[in-house]
mmCIF file of all heavy atoms in Angstrom:
data_model
loop_
_atom_site.group_PDB
_atom_site.id
_atom_site.type_symbol
_atom_site.label_atom_id
_atom_site.label_comp_id
_atom_site.label_asym_id
_atom_site.label_seq_id
_atom_site.Cartn_x
_atom_site.Cartn_y
_atom_site.Cartn_z
ATOM 1 N N ASN A 1 11.419 -9.555 -2.299
ATOM 2 C CA ASN A 1 11.727 -9.578 -0.874
ATOM 3 C C ASN A 1 12.874 -8.635 -0.549
ATOM 4 O O ASN A 1 12.876 -7.992 0.508
ATOM 5 C CB ASN A 1 12.087 -11.000 -0.433
ATOM 6 C CG ASN A 1 10.869 -11.880 -0.278
ATOM 7 O OD1 ASN A 1 9.748 -11.398 -0.193
ATOM 8 N ND2 ASN A 1 11.071 -13.185 -0.272
ATOM 9 N N VAL A 2 13.840 -8.553 -1.433
ATOM 10 C CA VAL A 2 14.938 -7.585 -1.248
ATOM 11 C C VAL A 2 14.394 -6.162 -1.315
ATOM 12 O O VAL A 2 14.635 -5.331 -0.433
ATOM 13 C CB VAL A 2 16.033 -7.798 -2.316
ATOM 14 C CG1 VAL A 2 17.048 -6.659 -2.281
ATOM 15 C CG2 VAL A 2 16.732 -9.131 -2.108
ATOM 16 N N MET A 3 13.626 -5.884 -2.367
ATOM 17 C CA MET A 3 13.151 -4.510 -2.591
ATOM 18 C C MET A 3 12.199 -4.033 -1.507
ATOM 19 O O MET A 3 12.155 -2.840 -1.187
ATOM 20 C CB MET A 3 12.487 -4.413 -3.962
ATOM 21 C CG MET A 3 13.463 -4.536 -5.114
ATOM 22 S SD MET A 3 12.716 -4.143 -6.719
ATOM 23 C CE MET A 3 11.580 -5.512 -6.920
ATOM 24 N N SER A 4 11.428 -4.942 -0.917
ATOM 25 C CA SER A 4 10.441 -4.516 0.079
ATOM 26 C C SER A 4 11.073 -4.057 1.385
ATOM 27 O O SER A 4 10.397 -3.480 2.230
ATOM 28 C CB SER A 4 9.429 -5.641 0.348
ATOM 29 O OG SER A 4 10.050 -6.731 1.003
ATOM 30 N N LEU A 5 12.372 -4.300 1.548
ATOM 31 C CA LEU A 5 13.095 -3.722 2.683
ATOM 32 C C LEU A 5 13.604 -2.315 2.357
ATOM 33 O O LEU A 5 13.790 -1.491 3.257
ATOM 34 C CB LEU A 5 14.281 -4.606 3.072
ATOM 35 C CG LEU A 5 13.955 -5.976 3.659
ATOM 36 C CD1 LEU A 5 15.237 -6.791 3.820
ATOM 37 C CD2 LEU A 5 13.240 -5.854 4.999
ATOM 38 N N ILE A 6 13.814 -2.048 1.064
ATOM 39 C CA ILE A 6 14.440 -0.799 0.623
ATOM 40 C C ILE A 6 13.417 0.247 0.216
ATOM 41 O O ILE A 6 13.554 1.428 0.528
ATOM 42 C CB ILE A 6 15.352 -1.073 -0.596
ATOM 43 C CG1 ILE A 6 16.360 -2.157 -0.303
ATOM 44 C CG2 ILE A 6 16.041 0.215 -1.055
ATOM 45 C CD1 ILE A 6 17.057 -2.692 -1.549
ATOM 46 N N PHE A 7 12.384 -0.177 -0.503
ATOM 47 C CA PHE A 7 11.402 0.740 -1.068
ATOM 48 C C PHE A 7 10.038 0.563 -0.405
ATOM 49 O O PHE A 7 9.804 -0.403 0.315
ATOM 50 C CB PHE A 7 11.260 0.490 -2.574
ATOM 51 C CG PHE A 7 12.521 0.650 -3.362
ATOM 52 C CD1 PHE A 7 13.061 -0.417 -4.083
ATOM 53 C CD2 PHE A 7 13.181 1.877 -3.414
ATOM 54 C CE1 PHE A 7 14.216 -0.272 -4.829
ATOM 55 C CE2 PHE A 7 14.335 2.038 -4.163
ATOM 56 C CZ PHE A 7 14.861 0.957 -4.866
ATOM 57 N N GLN A 8 9.123 1.482 -0.707
ATOM 58 C CA GLN A 8 7.733 1.347 -0.288
ATOM 59 C C GLN A 8 6.829 1.759 -1.432
ATOM 60 O O GLN A 8 7.255 2.370 -2.414
ATOM 61 C CB GLN A 8 7.451 2.174 0.970
ATOM 62 C CG GLN A 8 8.166 1.647 2.206
ATOM 63 C CD GLN A 8 7.580 2.143 3.513
ATOM 64 O OE1 GLN A 8 7.083 3.268 3.616
ATOM 65 N NE2 GLN A 8 7.633 1.301 4.532
ATOM 66 N N SER A 9 5.537 1.408 -1.303
ATOM 67 C CA SER A 9 4.555 1.668 -2.349
ATOM 68 C C SER A 9 3.361 2.409 -1.753
ATOM 69 O O SER A 9 3.243 2.551 -0.538
ATOM 70 C CB SER A 9 4.111 0.347 -2.984
ATOM 71 O OG SER A 9 3.725 -0.583 -1.982
ATOM 72 N N LEU A 10 2.454 2.844 -2.615
ATOM 73 C CA LEU A 10 1.284 3.598 -2.130
ATOM 74 C C LEU A 10 0.387 2.712 -1.273
ATOM 75 O O LEU A 10 -0.150 3.175 -0.255
ATOM 76 C CB LEU A 10 0.504 4.166 -3.316
ATOM 77 C CG LEU A 10 1.236 5.207 -4.162
ATOM 78 C CD1 LEU A 10 0.352 5.673 -5.310
ATOM 79 C CD2 LEU A 10 1.675 6.398 -3.313
ATOM 80 N N VAL A 11 0.210 1.460 -1.673
ATOM 81 C CA VAL A 11 -0.606 0.520 -0.889
ATOM 82 C C VAL A 11 0.173 -0.776 -0.725
ATOM 83 O O VAL A 11 1.138 -1.032 -1.431
ATOM 84 C CB VAL A 11 -1.983 0.259 -1.539
ATOM 85 C CG1 VAL A 11 -2.791 1.544 -1.642
ATOM 86 C CG2 VAL A 11 -1.814 -0.393 -2.907
ATOM 87 N N MET A 12 -0.264 -1.599 0.220
ATOM 88 C CA MET A 12 0.417 -2.846 0.498
ATOM 89 C C MET A 12 -0.601 -3.916 0.898
ATOM 90 O O MET A 12 -1.779 -3.616 1.115
ATOM 91 C CB MET A 12 1.427 -2.662 1.644
ATOM 92 C CG MET A 12 0.784 -2.330 2.976
ATOM 93 S SD MET A 12 1.967 -2.123 4.330
ATOM 94 C CE MET A 12 2.642 -3.770 4.460
ATOM 95 N N VAL A 13 -0.128 -5.159 1.020
ATOM 96 C CA VAL A 13 -0.964 -6.286 1.418
ATOM 97 C C VAL A 13 -0.626 -6.674 2.855
ATOM 98 O O VAL A 13 0.542 -6.749 3.225
ATOM 99 C CB VAL A 13 -0.764 -7.493 0.491
ATOM 100 C CG1 VAL A 13 -1.547 -8.708 0.979
ATOM 101 C CG2 VAL A 13 -1.183 -7.146 -0.935
ATOM 102 N N THR A 14 -1.661 -6.923 3.646
ATOM 103 C CA THR A 14 -1.482 -7.320 5.042
ATOM 104 C C THR A 14 -1.473 -8.845 5.157
ATOM 105 O O THR A 14 -1.802 -9.557 4.201
ATOM 106 C CB THR A 14 -2.632 -6.778 5.905
ATOM 107 O OG1 THR A 14 -3.849 -7.460 5.537
ATOM 108 C CG2 THR A 14 -2.802 -5.285 5.724
ATOM 109 N N PRO A 15 -1.116 -9.370 6.328
ATOM 110 C CA PRO A 15 -1.134 -10.835 6.501
ATOM 111 C C PRO A 15 -2.486 -11.481 6.265
ATOM 112 O O PRO A 15 -2.563 -12.661 5.938
ATOM 113 C CB PRO A 15 -0.675 -11.010 7.948
ATOM 114 C CG PRO A 15 0.211 -9.827 8.198
ATOM 115 C CD PRO A 15 -0.469 -8.692 7.476
ATOM 116 N N ASP A 16 -3.588 -10.731 6.447
ATOM 117 C CA ASP A 16 -4.904 -11.303 6.183
ATOM 118 C C ASP A 16 -5.370 -11.005 4.756
ATOM 119 O O ASP A 16 -6.550 -11.139 4.423
ATOM 120 C CB ASP A 16 -5.942 -10.843 7.209
ATOM 121 C CG ASP A 16 -6.196 -9.338 7.165
ATOM 122 O OD1 ASP A 16 -5.503 -8.627 6.392
ATOM 123 O OD2 ASP A 16 -7.066 -8.863 7.905
ATOM 124 N N LEU A 17 -4.409 -10.577 3.902
ATOM 125 C CA LEU A 17 -4.607 -10.372 2.467
ATOM 126 C C LEU A 17 -5.525 -9.193 2.157
ATOM 127 O O LEU A 17 -6.188 -9.150 1.124
ATOM 128 C CB LEU A 17 -5.125 -11.651 1.790
ATOM 129 C CG LEU A 17 -4.264 -12.888 2.007
ATOM 130 C CD1 LEU A 17 -4.874 -14.090 1.305
ATOM 131 C CD2 LEU A 17 -2.842 -12.657 1.548
ATOM 132 N N ALA A 18 -5.561 -8.231 3.075
ATOM 133 C CA ALA A 18 -6.262 -6.980 2.803
ATOM 134 C C ALA A 18 -5.332 -6.027 2.080
ATOM 135 O O ALA A 18 -4.112 -6.080 2.235
ATOM 136 C CB ALA A 18 -6.733 -6.345 4.106
ATOM 137 N N LEU A 19 -5.895 -5.146 1.272
ATOM 138 C CA LEU A 19 -5.140 -4.107 0.600
ATOM 139 C C LEU A 19 -5.300 -2.828 1.396
ATOM 140 O O LEU A 19 -6.417 -2.355 1.604
ATOM 141 C CB LEU A 19 -5.662 -3.918 -0.829
ATOM 142 C CG LEU A 19 -4.769 -3.173 -1.808
ATOM 143 C CD1 LEU A 19 -3.488 -3.969 -2.080
ATOM 144 C CD2 LEU A 19 -5.503 -2.905 -3.102
ATOM 145 N N VAL A 20 -4.182 -2.258 1.883
ATOM 146 C CA VAL A 20 -4.234 -1.099 2.780
ATOM 147 C C VAL A 20 -3.210 -0.067 2.342
ATOM 148 O O VAL A 20 -2.258 -0.370 1.623
ATOM 149 C CB VAL A 20 -3.954 -1.521 4.239
ATOM 150 C CG1 VAL A 20 -4.954 -2.565 4.694
ATOM 151 C CG2 VAL A 20 -2.521 -2.033 4.401
ATOM 152 N N PRO A 21 -3.367 1.198 2.767
ATOM 153 C CA PRO A 21 -2.370 2.221 2.437
ATOM 154 C C PRO A 21 -1.015 1.907 3.068
ATOM 155 O O PRO A 21 -0.944 1.368 4.174
ATOM 156 C CB PRO A 21 -2.959 3.501 3.035
ATOM 157 C CG PRO A 21 -4.419 3.232 3.154
ATOM 158 C CD PRO A 21 -4.528 1.775 3.462
ATOM 159 N N GLN A 22 0.071 2.259 2.372
ATOM 160 C CA GLN A 22 1.407 2.205 2.950
ATOM 161 C C GLN A 22 1.994 3.614 2.942
ATOM 162 O O GLN A 22 1.978 4.298 3.953
ATOM 163 C CB GLN A 22 2.312 1.225 2.206
ATOM 164 C CG GLN A 22 3.675 1.036 2.913
ATOM 165 C CD GLN A 22 4.587 0.051 2.234
ATOM 166 O OE1 GLN A 22 4.822 0.128 1.036
ATOM 167 N NE2 GLN A 22 5.126 -0.888 3.014
ATOM 168 N N LEU A 23 2.506 4.083 1.800
ATOM 169 C CA LEU A 23 2.962 5.471 1.734
ATOM 170 C C LEU A 23 1.780 6.438 1.785
ATOM 171 O O LEU A 23 1.885 7.526 2.355
ATOM 172 C CB LEU A 23 3.743 5.706 0.449
ATOM 173 C CG LEU A 23 5.201 5.237 0.429
ATOM 174 C CD1 LEU A 23 5.777 5.395 -0.972
ATOM 175 C CD2 LEU A 23 6.029 5.992 1.446
ATOM 176 N N ALA A 24 0.694 6.082 1.159
ATOM 177 C CA ALA A 24 -0.483 6.953 1.156
ATOM 178 C C ALA A 24 -1.068 7.070 2.562
ATOM 179 O O ALA A 24 -1.087 6.100 3.308
ATOM 180 C CB ALA A 24 -1.525 6.417 0.197
ATOM 181 N N GLU A 25 -1.506 8.255 2.896
ATOM 182 C CA GLU A 25 -2.239 8.427 4.150
ATOM 183 C C GLU A 25 -3.725 8.222 3.939
ATOM 184 O O GLU A 25 -4.439 7.834 4.871
ATOM 185 C CB GLU A 25 -1.997 9.845 4.700
ATOM 186 C CG GLU A 25 -0.574 10.073 5.218
ATOM 187 C CD GLU A 25 -0.411 11.419 5.882
ATOM 188 O OE1 GLU A 25 -1.219 12.348 5.563
ATOM 189 O OE2 GLU A 25 0.503 11.576 6.706
ATOM 190 N N LYS A 26 -4.179 8.476 2.732
ATOM 191 C CA LYS A 26 -5.605 8.354 2.429
ATOM 192 C C LYS A 26 -5.769 8.089 0.946
ATOM 193 O O LYS A 26 -4.969 8.547 0.129
ATOM 194 C CB LYS A 26 -6.356 9.641 2.813
ATOM 195 C CG LYS A 26 -7.862 9.550 2.655
ATOM 196 C CD LYS A 26 -8.558 10.810 3.191
ATOM 197 C CE LYS A 26 -8.245 12.023 2.347
ATOM 198 N NZ LYS A 26 -9.116 13.200 2.696
ATOM 199 N N VAL A 27 -6.785 7.310 0.595
ATOM 200 C CA VAL A 27 -7.112 7.043 -0.802
ATOM 201 C C VAL A 27 -8.579 7.382 -1.021
ATOM 202 O O VAL A 27 -9.448 6.843 -0.344
ATOM 203 C CB VAL A 27 -6.874 5.556 -1.176
ATOM 204 C CG1 VAL A 27 -7.183 5.331 -2.648
ATOM 205 C CG2 VAL A 27 -5.440 5.147 -0.862
ATOM 206 N N ASP A 28 -8.848 8.294 -1.943
ATOM 207 C CA ASP A 28 -10.213 8.653 -2.309
ATOM 208 C C ASP A 28 -10.529 8.128 -3.698
ATOM 209 O O ASP A 28 -9.736 8.313 -4.632
ATOM 210 C CB ASP A 28 -10.408 10.179 -2.276
ATOM 211 C CG ASP A 28 -10.364 10.734 -0.871
ATOM 212 O OD1 ASP A 28 -11.103 10.214 -0.013
ATOM 213 O OD2 ASP A 28 -9.575 11.673 -0.625
ATOM 214 N N ILE A 29 -11.685 7.485 -3.829
ATOM 215 C CA ILE A 29 -12.110 6.937 -5.123
ATOM 216 C C ILE A 29 -13.376 7.665 -5.543
ATOM 217 O O ILE A 29 -14.333 7.763 -4.772
ATOM 218 C CB ILE A 29 -12.373 5.433 -5.010
ATOM 219 C CG1 ILE A 29 -11.131 4.721 -4.474
ATOM 220 C CG2 ILE A 29 -12.761 4.853 -6.364
ATOM 221 C CD1 ILE A 29 -11.333 3.254 -4.217
ATOM 222 N N SER A 30 -13.388 8.170 -6.763
ATOM 223 C CA SER A 30 -14.565 8.881 -7.254
ATOM 224 C C SER A 30 -15.747 7.932 -7.371
ATOM 225 O O SER A 30 -15.568 6.712 -7.524
ATOM 226 C CB SER A 30 -14.265 9.512 -8.613
ATOM 227 O OG SER A 30 -14.010 8.504 -9.576
ATOM 228 N N PRO A 31 -16.971 8.462 -7.311
ATOM 229 C CA PRO A 31 -18.161 7.596 -7.401
ATOM 230 C C PRO A 31 -18.205 6.736 -8.664
ATOM 231 O O PRO A 31 -18.744 5.633 -8.650
ATOM 232 C CB PRO A 31 -19.327 8.606 -7.379
ATOM 233 C CG PRO A 31 -18.786 9.781 -6.628
ATOM 234 C CD PRO A 31 -17.333 9.864 -7.033
ATOM 235 N N ASP A 32 -17.618 7.224 -9.769
ATOM 236 C CA ASP A 32 -17.628 6.426 -11.006
ATOM 237 C C ASP A 32 -16.406 5.523 -11.117
ATOM 238 O O ASP A 32 -16.204 4.859 -12.133
ATOM 239 C CB ASP A 32 -17.726 7.332 -12.236
ATOM 240 C CG ASP A 32 -16.533 8.270 -12.381
ATOM 241 O OD1 ASP A 32 -15.633 8.238 -11.507
ATOM 242 O OD2 ASP A 32 -16.494 9.040 -13.361
#
């Protein structure tokens, strides 16, 4: 809780428990 005010990560969790980008603007996943 302390660190989440100071730092950020590539993705984050929303209140509805979805995984979404935070620092990342876009995430591409290869077909495999």
Side-chain angles (χ1 to χ4, degrees):
N1 283 343
V2 170
M3 290 190 292
S4 68
L5 293 173
I6 306 166
F7 301 119
Q8 292 199 327
S9 51
L10 295 179
V11 299
M12 65 180 295
V13 175
T14 68
D16 64 355
L17 305 180
L19 197 66
V20 302
Q22 187 178 51
L23 280 173
E25 290 186 337
K26 185 174 67 169
V27 182
D28 290 308
I29 304 175
S30 64
D32 63 359

